[in-house]
Amino acid sequence: MTAVEKFEWQQICERQDLVPGSGVCALVEGEQVALFYLPEEERAVYALANRDPIGNANVMSRGIIGDLGGKLVVASPLYKQHFELASGNCVEDESVCLEVYKVRLDGDHVLIGRG
Amino acid sequence: MEQRKIVVVGNGMVGHHFVQTLVESGSGDAITILGEEPRPAYDRVHLSDVFAGRAPEELAMATRGTYQQWGVDAHFGDPVVTIERNAKVVVTELGRRFSYDKLVLATGSYPFVPPVPGSDHKRCLTYRTIDDLGAIKSRSKDSTVGVVVGGGLLGLECANALQNLGLQTHVVEFAPGLMGVQLDDGGSRMLRRKVEALGVQVHTGKNTRHIVPGDEHALRMDFADESSLETDLIVFSAGIRPRDNLARDAELVVGERGGIVIDYKCKTTDTDIFAIGECALFGGRIYGLVAPGYRMAEAVAAQLAGDDVQFQGADMSTKLKLLGVDVGSIGDAHGRTEGSMSFVFSDEREEYYKRLVTSADGKQLLGAVLVGDCTSYDTLLQYHLNGIELPADPQGLIVPASGEQPTLGVAALPATAMVCSCHNVTKGDILCAIDGGCCSAGEVKGVTRASSGCGGCSAMLKNLVDDELLARGVSVDKSICEHFPHTRQELYHLAQVGEVKSFDAMIADHGQGRGCDICKPAVGSIMASLWNEHVLDARHVPLQDTNDTFMANMQKDGTYSVVPRVAGGEITPDKLIVLGEVAKKYDLYTKITGGQRVDLFGARLDQLPDIWRLLVDAGFETGHAYGKALRTVKSCVGSSWCRYGVQDSVAMAIAVEGRYKGLRAPHKFKSAVSGCTRECAEAQSKDFGIIATENGWNLYVCGNGGMKPRHADLFATDLDDQTLIKYIDRFLMFYIRTADRLQRTSVWMDNLEGGIEYLREVVIEDSLGIAAELEAQMAHVVGTYACEWKETLQDPQKLKRFRQFVNSDEADSGVVFVREREQVRPARPDERLRLVAVTK
Ligand code: SRM
Ligand SMILES: Cc1cc2nc3c(=O)[nH]c(=O)nc-3n(C[C@H](O)[C@H](O)[C@H](O)COP(=O)(O)OP(=O)(O)OC[C@H]3O[C@@H](n4cnc5c(N)ncnc54)[C@H](O)[C@@H]3O)c2cc1C
Ligand code: SF4
Ligand code: FES
């Protein structure tokens, strides 16, 4: 397979739409994307799929953020499994994970990378 | 001496494992691995994870760099086409030649596609490689229906994948049942029932005659029984066939139905050629699982390194989750051993099926089938593998016992017991790792690789490690989580004494890291009990569970329920009408709760503020159904109406509910007030209960309904109104100060040294001299009460959070309702598929 690395950065919302230390959800071309904002961290925004693959509902943006063993995670509000913000991997269940989106701040704009 | 040349054909899971084992053995051979696929080995077992969102790259078991580092010559995307046995050379499709001293064939297998006319259509696919997966994904884009041919283990996995892709999924099986190899009839029937409930349609006993273009969908399958099925794509998963053509052409002996014949040394009929993994036929069987392949790989690597290790056959027991259904099969699942006995337990309501097969004397476990509930799998497997004698009543292992379930404690296992069969790790190996200084399951995993394969053994590993550490006197940590080396009680005191007012200050002063979903809400609750600031103040927002954040209870589909306070259960007709009107306007499912009030379900996040605006305007307040706080104070009608009532229980209930509403605690707490000793309000099952007497009130404390009911203790009798409230103030504040996280008053009492007597001393006699302080603290909380919803509605900043999307007004398309008994409810998975397919 040839993976062509071609990204387009698309503006989704403004920094002020994000909630420090917590998550919100954005709609990106029909997909629900959970945006987490950690102004204190070296990397301040993360974007993951909003769908909880275990509870099967679109709720990940409403989970609590924290760290486990030094890795930043979000806990599903339904059944409390943890997903790593950087990789989307589920800590408790190797067989599921969340899709990870490329995301960055450009001044006050929040941009998502579309591949 | 010249280096020995080892050539491996096939870079799959087993070929890779062989190379890794040989490299680690330090044999010093010149190793070459030749693979047909364009990428190094990857974890085929977890292929389906990609459908659930995992990136294919994450399945990689090695990279090109790994092989370079090991000094292994690796080539990809160029299959071997010939073995020249005389010259001891293999030749690839591109004409490259590699000579060998020893050759290892690890060519795996391919999916069998039955020779049905039309099965070569471009919408007929198979499922074994990452490339297959890409093909299925892209074909699914313009499809709504998908069929899997084959109801075995892989077929059902594939059905799961198709469902994940949003297709209306069918499984077509030739045999009369699902997973016939691993399950007996009963297990297979239960599995079918569960799979169908998940929205997958199962067709058994179907022989496909041909596949032709369809009318409504791209394809139509016509079956021998004259029925037919239309679909947009078909995935064949009707068994595997060993890839033995290279060996066949080189005139090595192969089995009648395929497979390269090997002996217990994994040697083929040419002593310089080995075969391992799914291409090999040992004792007349192909092992279609990865663990036996690994054992073969290890046996060959050990022989090449000079050890005489044999392959002894392998256990085929498996435990998996298919479409979310737990399925386990151990040993002789069908009870085919002569003279064997079976114990069968089937529960059609809870939907599980369990069968034990034992030896004639009932002492040895020969096999087992588990569908719907695999909790006893680990225990049963240990009985089976280690020949441990069964208890006198083996059925107790599968029948849900009313008393103690006989479990095989990890301590009872012999050191030789296999814990992780993927990586061949025994209990003895794990004890060794602990001897070597490992102090957690994670560390043992790192050292032994246990639970890094299929993961099926991870619960057992954790159990074993914890148990062993405890036995060695390693102290058990009572910290609430990894961020604070304190109990909740200690945190409460630290916060109070240091007047700490935010989580950030708390973790900076007393903890480490960034916090988590355990300590954040716990500290949030302590802050609320102590300082009673609005839960949605910016600095408290990240601490709250979703229920607190949105001041509503999240339901299974991500919608919320709305519960306004109805103090004492008393409500005017006008207010009832408002509830009805609001429910009607937003089409909310309406139910009377067990707490004497009304719950409105199915509100979307973005609807919550509008709903609450109507309610607040009509005079309702939040009911705190979401918080670790006071829930309801139930009442009976009492002396105003009831011919036996001796006090006004409704007025007291309303007063008590009004006083403690919004008070945050380690867990929720409830109360009730009965107007006489008949106790119609069930006050003795509450955290604090009040029962009227001729002379005043009797106070009961620390009762509980719920999971583990506890009858409340009589605390004080014939109290007047003021004394009653004073005692309750002190009681509640003392509980809030000293209880553990998520500890109801009942459990708190059971753990309180000195019990009810001690509590009386503290509360009534003020033995600790803190009564005034407790009362003052309560007065502060009561005095600063404000309805959280009312405040929120006045604050545009806070309301901003109640948007489904920050960049769109669309509603969550994942919320799908159906109607039942004239009201809405969330659609079940099968209904959802139908409904979404229609609206697409
Ligand atoms: C709605 C209701 C059931 C109903 O339809 O009647 C209900 C619904 C829930 N109960 Fe309950 N309980 C409801 C009355 C009860 C009662 C009866 C009562 O209060 O008189 C009990 C037993 C009494 C008791 O608590 O001692 C009860 C014992 C529980 C328990 C077990 C608590 C325990 O310590 O054993 C839980 C689990 C928990 O809290 O950890 C629970 C948890 C829940 C949760 C929060 C479960 C959840 O996480 O989704 C439910 C959410 C409510 C919601 O979404 O609005 N619910 N629950 C009742 C709401 C009462 C209210 O108006 O607030
Ligand atoms: C979807 C799925 C789910 C599974 N789930 C489980 C499970 O839960 N538990 C379990 O134990 N097992 C499971 N399996 C089975 C498991 O994947 C196999 O047992 C395992 O991969 C066998 O390893 P292998 O190396 O023998 O074969 P493979 O992994 O198939 O590797 C063989 C490799 O050899 C290559 N090859 C073939 N011929 C040539 C040639 N002439 N020249 C060069 N290269 C060649 C092939 O392209 C392939 O890459 C699953 C399999 C699938 C497909
Ligand atoms: S407890 Fe029963 S009998 Fe007593 S007042 Fe209440 S309703 Fe009447
Ligand atoms: S048994 Fe598979 S990882 Fe241990």
Side-chain angles (χ1 to χ4, degrees):
Chain A
M1 276 192 297
T2 44
V4 189
E5 289 265 329
K6 183 164 159 280
F7 281 107
E8 230 169 72
W9 291 100
Q10 182 180 333
Q11 188 190 332
I12 300 304
C13 61
E14 297 297 309
R15 187 194 289 263
Q16 73 199 42
D17 290 318
L18 305 176
V19 179
S22 190
V24 297
C25 184
L27 197 60
V28 184
E29 289 171 13
E31 288 173 43
Q32 297 198 14
V33 179
L35 298 169
F36 300 102
Y37 182 39
L38 301 161
E40 319 266 283
E41 300 289 330
E42 211 168 297
R43 176 176 162 194
V45 274
Y46 290 86
L48 299 170
N50 193 37
R51 184 168 189 79
D52 172 352
I54 295 170
N56 279 319
N58 299 318
V59 297
M60 288 312 304
S61 57
R62 300 176 221 160
I64 294 185
I65 301 181
D67 66 349
L68 284 184
K71 284 193 176 142
L72 284 167
V73 294
V74 55
S76 161
L78 279 170
Y79 303 112
K80 316 293 176 193
Q81 290 86 0
H82 300 91
F83 295 83
E84 289 173 16
L85 290 189
S87 67
N89 286 340
C90 174
V91 177
E92 287 82 6
D93 182 350
E94 273 185 36
S95 72
V96 294
C97 69
L98 299 176
E99 185 155 343
V100 180
Y101 298 82
K102 290 205 164 26
V103 62
R104 68 182 170 90
L105 286 171
D106 177 12
D108 275 339
H109 303 319
V110 181
L111 307 182
I112 287 261
R114 303 293 297 168
Chain B
M1 202 178 87
E2 212 185 303
Q3 244 183 332
R4 188 168 52 171
K5 282 183 288 211
I6 313 284
V7 173
V8 183
V9 183
N11 192 341
M13 298 186 75
V14 173
H16 172 75
H17 188 74
F18 167 75
V19 171
Q20 181 174 7
T21 315
L22 190 61
V23 168
E24 283 172 1
S25 77
S27 69
D29 296 311
I31 307 170
T32 302
I33 184 161
L34 305 170
E36 166 197 55
E37 290 188 70
R39 57 183 71 77
Y42 52 88
D43 183 356
R44 215 178 289 289
V45 170
H46 289 105
L47 204 53
S48 302
D49 292 4
V50 175
F51 290 109
R54 193 154 160 195
E57 302 80 61
E58 286 179 48
L59 298 178
M61 301 174 70
T63 61
R64 285 161 199 267
T66 317
Y67 292 122
Q68 272 165 17
Q69 221 177 331
W70 290 346
V72 169
D73 184 27
H75 300 271
F76 309 97
D78 183 14
V80 170
V81 290
T82 325
I83 306 172
E84 297 176 1
R85 276 169 65 191
N86 294 334
K88 288 189 138 188
V89 167
V90 295
V91 188
T92 70
E93 195 173 65
L94 294 178
R96 285 189 273 203
R97 299 172 66 83
F98 297 89
S99 62
Y100 64 81
D101 294 313
K102 300 284 175 194
L103 180 65
V104 178
L105 301 176
T107 47
S109 62
Y110 65 90
F112 171 63
V113 178
V116 173
S119 61
D120 52 355
H121 191 280
K122 63 180 192 301
R123 289 183 164 275
C124 293
L125 307 166
T126 56
Y127 183 34
R128 182 155 185 100
T129 64
I130 287 188
D131 287 347
D132 290 343
L133 201 133
I136 295 175
K137 256 191 164 166
S138 66
R139 270 284 164 244
S140 74
K141 293 224 168 84
D142 56 353
S143 301
T144 53
V145 181
V147 168
V148 177
V149 176
L153 191 155
L154 291 183
L156 292 178
E157 258 217 51
C158 188
N160 193 18
L162 295 190
Q163 267 219 323
N164 276 334
L165 289 170
L167 299 189
Q168 197 180 317
T169 306
H170 300 259
V171 170
V172 171
E173 167 62 52
F174 178 66
L178 297 177
M179 279 185 75
V181 179
Q182 292 88 358
L183 302 182
D184 65 342
D185 289 350
S188 171
R189 266 198 307 275
M190 184 62 77
L191 177 64
R192 175 183 189 143
R193 189 175 154 141
K194 296 185 75 106
V195 164
E196 285 181 333
L198 292 165
V200 173
Q201 295 186 45
V202 177
H203 315 266
T204 50
K206 293 284 179 195
N207 185 0
T208 312
R209 224 173 39 201
H210 54 235
I211 298 163
V212 294
D215 298 326
E216 281 176 34
H217 296 277
L219 302 172
R220 192 182 77 229
M221 306 174 72
D222 288 330
F223 304 116
D225 64 2
E226 303 298 326
S227 61
S228 61
L229 178 63
E230 295 229 343
T231 179
D232 297 307
L233 68 85
I234 301 175
V235 183
F236 284 97
S237 192
I240 54 167
R241 292 290 180 269
R243 297 188 62 173
D244 56 11
N245 49 329
L246 275 182
R248 218 179 263 272
D249 294 347
E251 294 180 342
L252 299 174
V253 175
V254 294
E256 209 172 296
R257 301 185 57 218
I260 310 169
V261 172
I262 56 170
D263 63 9
Y264 58 85
K265 290 189 156 176
C266 300
K267 278 206 169 101
T268 66
T269 39
D270 179 330
T271 51
D272 289 324
I273 305 181
F274 298 86
I276 56 178
E278 280 187 355
C279 63
L281 187 71
F282 177 82
R285 92 193 278 182
I286 298 285
Y287 289 94
L289 294 177
V290 69
Y294 280 1
R295 292 299 88 74
M296 296 179 195
E298 286 154 15
V300 175
Q303 287 169 49
L304 293 179
D307 291 331
D308 184 24
V309 175
Q310 302 181 351
F311 176 70
Q312 311 275 12
D315 183 64
M316 294 290 281
S317 303
T318 31
K319 168 170 82 167
L320 5 102
K321 218 183 187 74
L322 289 169
L323 291 142
V325 180
D326 287 308
V327 180
S329 166
I330 293 176
D332 180 9
H334 296 270
R336 295 198 175 117
T337 312
E338 199 152 329
S340 62
M341 283 197 298
S342 286
F343 300 84
V344 177
F345 183 77
S346 169
D347 181 334
E348 302 211 326
R349 189 181 45 181
E350 299 295 328
E351 299 200 311
Y352 58 84
Y353 173 90
K354 302 175 180 191
R355 172 180 187 173
L356 293 186
V357 179
T358 72
S359 54
D361 59 6
K363 288 192 172 151
Q364 300 292 320
L365 185 68
L366 301 178
V369 175
L370 301 170
V371 175
D373 174 16
C374 272
T375 43
S376 47
Y377 179 88
D378 291 343
T379 302
L380 295 177
L381 186 64
Q382 294 302 333
Y383 276 111
H384 173 63
L385 292 181
N386 299 300
I388 300 172
E389 191 168 313
L390 287 167
D393 297 316
Q395 66 271 27
L397 291 165
I398 48 169
V399 177
S402 36
E404 277 295 278
Q405 183 95 1
T407 52
L408 186 60
V410 280
L413 294 176
T416 51
M418 183 64 71
V419 174
C420 174
S421 47
C422 285
H423 290 290
N424 230 349
V425 184
T426 62
K427 177 176 169 183
D429 298 332
I430 290 164
L431 299 190
C432 264
I434 298 177
D435 289 339
C438 291
C439 277
S440 69
E443 287 172 26
V444 171
K445 179 176 175 180
V447 171
T448 62
R449 296 214 283 189
S451 95
S452 63
C454 71
C457 60
S458 60
M460 178 149 193
L461 175 69
K462 169 124 184 34
N463 246 330
L464 182 57
V465 173
D466 286 356
D467 194 71
E468 192 56 32
L469 288 174
L470 209 68
R472 293 173 187 215
V474 177
S475 71
V476 192
D477 193 356
K478 284 183 126 182
S479 315
I480 78 167
C481 67
E482 65 179 65
H483 303 101
F484 289 97
H486 299 290
T487 62
R488 178 191 177 276
Q489 185 180 350
E490 288 164 351
L491 288 178
Y492 186 97
H493 287 298
L494 290 168
Q496 186 181 33
V497 173
E499 293 202 19
V500 184
K501 297 209 168 172
S502 72
F503 180 84
D504 290 345
M506 197 72 190
I507 201 158
D509 293 351
H510 304 290
Q512 57 180 19
R514 308 167 177 97
C516 67
D517 56 309
I518 306 284
C519 59
K520 281 182 169 180
V523 170
S525 152
I526 292 173
M527 298 288 121
S529 302
L530 283 171
W531 321 120
N532 207 22
E533 294 174 340
H534 194 282
V535 285
L536 291 195
D537 281 352
R539 63 179 174 182
H540 301 316
V541 160
L543 308 183
Q544 314 297 342
D545 266 321
T546 181
N547 286 3
D548 285 281
T549 309
F550 298 111
M551 299 176 296
N553 294 36
M554 181 181 276
Q555 304 298 316
K556 62 199 285 185
D557 62 347
T559 63
Y560 291 85
S561 72
V562 170
V563 192
R565 191 166 291 292
V566 177
E570 183 184 83
I571 186 163
T572 62
D574 280 338
K575 278 192 160 175
L576 258 183
I577 289 169
V578 171
L579 289 181
E581 281 172 351
V582 170
K584 207 164 164 180
K585 174 161 184 200
Y586 291 92
D587 201 8
L588 303 173
Y589 170 76
T590 307
K591 180 180 182 299
I592 308 291
T593 73
Q596 293 189 340
R597 49 189 183 173
V598 181
D599 204 340
L600 311 176
F601 295 82
R604 293 192 322 258
L605 187 59
D606 51 289
Q607 294 176 323
L608 287 173
D610 296 338
I611 291 171
W612 273 104
R613 196 164 285 120
L614 292 175
L615 294 172
V616 166
D617 285 348
F620 284 104
E621 290 187 339
T622 179
H624 294 102
Y626 45 83
K628 303 290 173 231
L630 178 74
R631 289 290 156 89
T632 63
V633 181
K634 283 167 70 168
S635 77
C636 72
V637 283
S639 58
S640 340
W641 290 88
C642 177
R643 59 196 162 129
Y644 296 115
V646 291
Q647 307 279 354
D648 188 351
S649 48
V650 178
M652 180 54 86
I654 293 172
V656 171
E657 186 158 344
R659 182 165 183 82
Y660 303 116
K661 63 186 177 191
L663 174 64
R664 292 316 205 261
H667 204 324
K668 64 184 175 195
F669 62 100
K670 305 178 176 182
S671 179
V673 185
S674 281
C676 84
T677 176
R678 287 167 192 74
E679 242 284 70
C680 301
E682 300 168 310
Q684 292 165 99
S685 67
K686 300 297 175 199
D687 296 273
F688 65 97
I690 302 164
I691 302 177
T693 67
E694 300 277 350
N695 309 315
W697 308 97
N698 285 353
L699 175 60
Y700 288 80
V701 294
C702 303
N704 200 176
M707 294 177 266
K708 198 159 170 278
R710 181 182 190 279
H711 199 287
D713 297 316
L714 179 59
F715 185 74
T717 53
D718 291 332
L719 305 173
D720 60 37
D721 290 10
Q722 283 79 17
T723 315
L724 176 71
I725 297 297
K726 188 167 76 183
Y727 287 176
I728 299 172
D729 279 3
R730 294 178 184 178
F731 162 74
L732 287 174
M733 267 302 161
F734 188 58
Y735 159 67
I736 290 170
R737 271 198 184 190
T738 56
D740 251 334
R741 170 180 168 271
L742 296 185
Q743 193 173 43
R744 290 284 292 264
T745 55
S746 57
V747 183
W748 171 69
M749 168 57 82
D750 290 339
N751 289 301
L752 193 67
E753 228 169 287
I756 186 86
E757 284 307 323
Y758 173 70
L759 190 62
R760 277 200 196 102
E761 285 166 21
V762 175
V763 170
I764 301 176
E765 290 154 30
D766 193 13
S767 59
L768 298 179
I770 54 170
E773 196 185 318
L774 296 175
E775 279 173 46
Q777 212 182 331
M778 184 64 85
H780 171 72
V781 174
V782 172
T784 51
Y785 170 84
C787 169
E788 291 152 8
W789 261 112
K790 195 170 181 181
E791 287 197 325
T792 302
L793 291 172
Q794 289 158 358
D795 186 339
Q797 199 55 35
K798 284 177 183 150
L799 284 177
K800 262 181 63 184
R801 278 240 54 199
F802 293 84
R803 293 185 289 179
Q804 175 65 29
F805 303 113
V806 288
N807 60 343
S808 160
D809 291 333
E810 270 183 52
D812 178 359
S813 61
V815 173
V816 183
F817 291 135
V818 296
R819 301 195 86 80
E820 187 172 79
R821 298 188 296 275
E822 296 168 55
Q823 300 206 65
V824 293
R825 68 157 167 78
R828 288 191 288 264
D830 53 325
E831 296 166 333
R832 173 185 292 266
L833 265 180
R834 277 205 303 279
L835 291 168
V836 175
V838 171
T839 51
K840 232 188 217 169

